[in-house]
Amino acid sequence: MNTQAIKELLQRFPIFKGLTEEEMEPVLELAKHRMYRSGSHIFMQGDPLTNVYFIHQGKVKIYKTDLNGKEQIVNVLQRGDMFPHQGFFRQDDCPAHAEVVEDAILIYIPIHMFENFLITHPEICVKLFRVLGDIIVDLQGRLEEKILLNTYEQIIKLLLRLTKNYGKELEDGTIRITTQFTNRELANMIGSSRETVSRTLTQLKKKDLISTDENGYFIIDFEELHGEIV
């Protein structure tokens, strides 16, 4: 991947949009790229934080594990996302695991160098703070769901969120979630059990609110599903 290609890819990310050729030069001097195969880990929970990553292609699962090895999925990131956000301006270790779930091409920049770049480019800091602000709002919303909603409603909210993040509208107005998730992964996203998720999905299918296509992808009737919790 040549320098021009990396520049074009990076400028698709919100924090780099609008930068001039001159402003992009120091970024390009720092940026490198690498391909990761599905099933490999980019970093593990507790590893030293070294790089900030930008996803050009593929999907990356961010998850934590407790002392008993139980998995809690924090997010599934895709093209156009950057991570780890917790690493900026902090001397800390990786707070979670990052596993490639679909062959990925990542552009990465050493965090300490990226921080120095941000210090000398305050306009980029403002854009980064907006990105971090969106993430805080999302996490706050998830916390409220956990406190205020029952498990049935939490699963519906999760499906609606996945529809917004990974959905593609079909001709009949329904939406296909373009990433496959197992019942175990769905359960790990909300701290529930696989059995509870399986039982709830069966209920939703009986109500014709969701279905799966021949390849196992979820098909969501967004408005009708949303109506279940309004």
Side-chain angles (χ1 to χ4, degrees):
M1 189 180 297
N2 58 39
T3 301
Q4 180 63 24
I6 292 177
K7 181 178 80 68
E8 292 176 358
L9 293 176
L10 284 176
Q11 287 188 308
R12 294 175 183 172
F13 290 82
I15 68 168
F16 295 125
K17 281 184 177 177
L19 292 191
T20 64
E21 296 281 340
E22 183 178 351
E23 289 171 331
M24 281 299 296
E25 284 183 7
V27 180
L28 296 175
E29 290 176 0
L30 301 175
K32 301 177 182 179
H33 70 280
R34 178 180 170 184
M35 181 173 184
Y36 291 82
R37 294 296 182 185
S38 177
S40 63
H41 279 80
I42 301 161
F43 52 74
M44 302 291 286
Q45 185 173 323
D47 286 350
L49 278 169
T50 55
N51 299 313
V52 54
Y53 297 88
F54 303 87
I55 304 177
H56 164 50
Q57 177 182 309
K59 291 183 174 66
V60 176
K61 178 175 70 174
I62 307 297
Y63 69 99
K64 293 174 176 281
T65 50
D66 62 19
L67 293 176
N68 297 316
K70 184 177 180 181
E71 180 181 298
Q72 173 71 55
I73 296 177
V74 178
N75 213 337
V76 178
L77 306 176
Q78 59 185 336
R79 178 184 173 91
D81 288 328
M82 58 184 291
F83 68 98
H85 302 93
Q86 298 96 325
F88 297 118
F89 314 116
R90 293 180 59 188
Q91 299 297 319
D92 208 349
D93 294 331
C94 295
H97 306 283
E99 179 185 357
V100 177
V101 293
E102 183 180 292
D103 287 357
I105 296 176
L106 307 181
I107 299 172
Y108 62 96
I109 299 174
I111 285 178
H112 71 281
M113 294 182 180
F114 192 63
E115 289 177 351
N116 290 336
F117 168 75
L118 291 173
I119 290 170
T120 56
H121 294 76
E123 73 282 7
I124 304 299
C125 279
V126 173
K127 291 184 178 182
L128 177 59
F129 292 152
R130 287 174 182 160
V131 172
L132 296 177
D134 290 342
I135 292 171
I136 291 172
V137 170
D138 177 65
L139 292 175
Q140 184 179 33
R142 295 192 200 187
L143 179 60
E144 290 176 355
E145 290 172 14
K146 189 68 177 174
I147 295 172
L148 301 176
L149 303 180
N150 59 41
T151 304
Y152 179 80
E153 293 169 327
Q154 288 181 45
I155 292 171
I156 290 176
K157 278 284 192 179
L158 172 61
L159 291 172
L160 293 174
R161 185 163 61 246
L162 294 177
T163 300
K164 289 181 178 180
N165 292 338
Y166 310 105
K168 180 179 180 181
E169 187 170 357
L170 304 177
E171 291 183 0
D172 63 359
T174 59
I175 301 175
R176 177 194 287 123
I177 297 178
T178 58
T179 296
Q180 290 186 332
F181 298 96
T182 66
N183 289 354
R184 172 64 67 190
E185 289 173 329
L186 294 175
N188 288 346
M189 289 180 186
I190 60 171
S192 183
S193 68
R194 182 183 59 79
E195 292 77 14
T196 299
V197 169
S198 179
R199 187 164 54 248
T200 301
L201 293 178
T202 299
Q203 288 179 264
L204 296 175
K205 288 177 180 178
K206 287 181 178 179
K207 293 182 177 182
D208 292 325
L209 298 175
I210 69 171
S211 61
T212 52
D213 65 13
E214 64 276 9
N215 296 313
Y217 291 96
F218 283 115
I219 306 296
I220 307 294
D221 187 329
F222 188 88
E223 294 301 326
E224 290 295 325
L225 185 62
H226 188 270
E228 278 287 286
I229 53 175
V230 172

